[in-house]
Amino acid sequence: MAKKNAGSSKPVLVIIGVTAGMLCGLFGVGALLAAYVSRITEGNKMIYTNDYESPLGHILLAGDKQGLTGLWFTEGGRYVGLGLKKEAHRWETDYFDQTKEWLDIYFSGRNPGFFPRIHLVGSDFRNRVGEILCEIPFGKTVTYGWIADQIAKERGIEQMSAQAVGGAVGHNPICIIVPCHRVVGSNGSLTGYGEGILRKKALLELEGNDMSQFTIPTKGTAL
């Protein structure tokens, strides 16, 4: 069993470059799981690795002293190990245990209902996009434009570029758990997934989405 915080069913999410109070929640059936946000220094780097065998291929896990920082499919992924230091070494941690439990439940077709301890490391913008991704319910999707509208409203500006959001979503280092696969094009196109379009389709199918509303792009993008 994965270890959780004493006295709480809510796993910790540690984020660099965001203001305190920003929450990353997962809306399950009858449950809202929020994450705590802490400020830490830039000195924490990815130094630990582990792995997981999934039905969709081998997965590389990475983390630091604060939590999970990376989760990539090692075959066909566009940004496998991005930011991972050469001195990183295999290690067992409580958050890797949490992550593997989460993945076991997820790949059985169920909503895990909790988060492993996650540490988002990136710019304020990318971290905010990551938080919004975590708010997309299991079995649901949103568009890049919808995320752009949310950020524009928060910033009090008329509009935010959907392409900029697409860049942040596409570079998400913690796939599946920070569910970038739940973002689709405005026309229903399954575009912009760094782990491969067929995996994106498989993950959406696993969550019980009606796949008739989506299309697989043959070229280009549709944000």
Side-chain angles (χ1 to χ4, degrees):
M1 292 292 291
K3 298 177 181 178
K4 298 182 176 66
N5 296 333
S8 173
S9 62
K10 300 175 182 178
V12 174
L13 172 64
V14 184
I15 300 177
I16 284 180
V18 298
T19 58
M22 288 183 176
L23 299 179
C24 177
L26 178 65
F27 291 86
V29 177
L32 169 62
L33 293 167
Y36 300 117
V37 179
S38 301
R39 284 187 176 275
I40 63 172
T41 68
E42 288 283 357
N44 294 288
K45 304 297 182 182
M46 296 183 189
I47 53 176
Y48 307 131
T49 62
N50 213 291
D51 62 308
Y52 179 86
E53 292 295 337
S54 85
L56 299 180
H58 181 265
I59 289 175
L60 172 66
L61 307 175
D64 59 17
K65 293 181 179 180
Q66 302 299 319
L68 184 74
T69 54
L71 190 160
W72 308 271
F73 287 100
T74 57
E75 295 183 6
R78 196 179 304 165
Y79 304 112
V80 179
L82 183 66
L84 189 61
K85 302 301 179 181
K86 291 182 179 180
E87 60 269 22
H89 57 281
R90 182 179 174 84
W91 200 253
E92 301 296 333
T93 69
D94 59 347
Y95 58 79
F96 284 153
D97 289 341
Q98 293 170 3
T99 299
K100 292 176 183 181
E101 180 188 10
W102 191 101
L103 292 169
D104 284 344
I105 297 170
Y106 179 83
F107 281 114
S108 74
R110 295 175 292 146
N111 182 354
F114 70 95
F115 272 114
R117 194 167 75 247
I118 297 172
H119 174 194
L120 294 179
V121 181
S123 67
D124 288 353
F125 178 72
R126 287 192 176 181
N127 286 344
R128 184 62 189 126
V129 170
E131 292 179 291
I132 293 173
L133 291 176
C134 289
E135 296 170 1
I136 307 172
F138 181 95
K140 303 295 182 180
T141 60
V142 302
T143 66
Y144 297 91
W146 182 86
I147 295 176
D149 288 345
Q150 304 311 301
I151 296 177
K153 290 176 183 177
E154 291 175 1
R155 296 187 174 187
I157 59 179
E158 186 173 344
Q159 66 180 42
M160 168 63 66
S161 166
Q163 283 75 19
V165 169
V169 172
H171 284 81
N172 169 38
I174 307 177
C175 76
I176 309 178
I177 294 176
V178 178
C180 51
H181 62 278
R182 295 177 189 158
V183 187
V184 301
S186 58
N187 61 355
S189 175
L190 301 184
T191 185
Y193 190 56
E195 302 298 327
I197 294 299
L198 294 182
R199 281 202 183 102
K200 183 170 186 171
K201 178 175 179 289
L203 293 172
L204 292 175
E205 287 176 335
L206 179 67
E207 295 181 13
N209 285 275
D210 175 9
M211 300 306 292
S212 66
Q213 62 186 311
F214 305 126
T215 60
I216 297 179
T218 56
K219 61 180 181 179
T221 60
L223 301 181

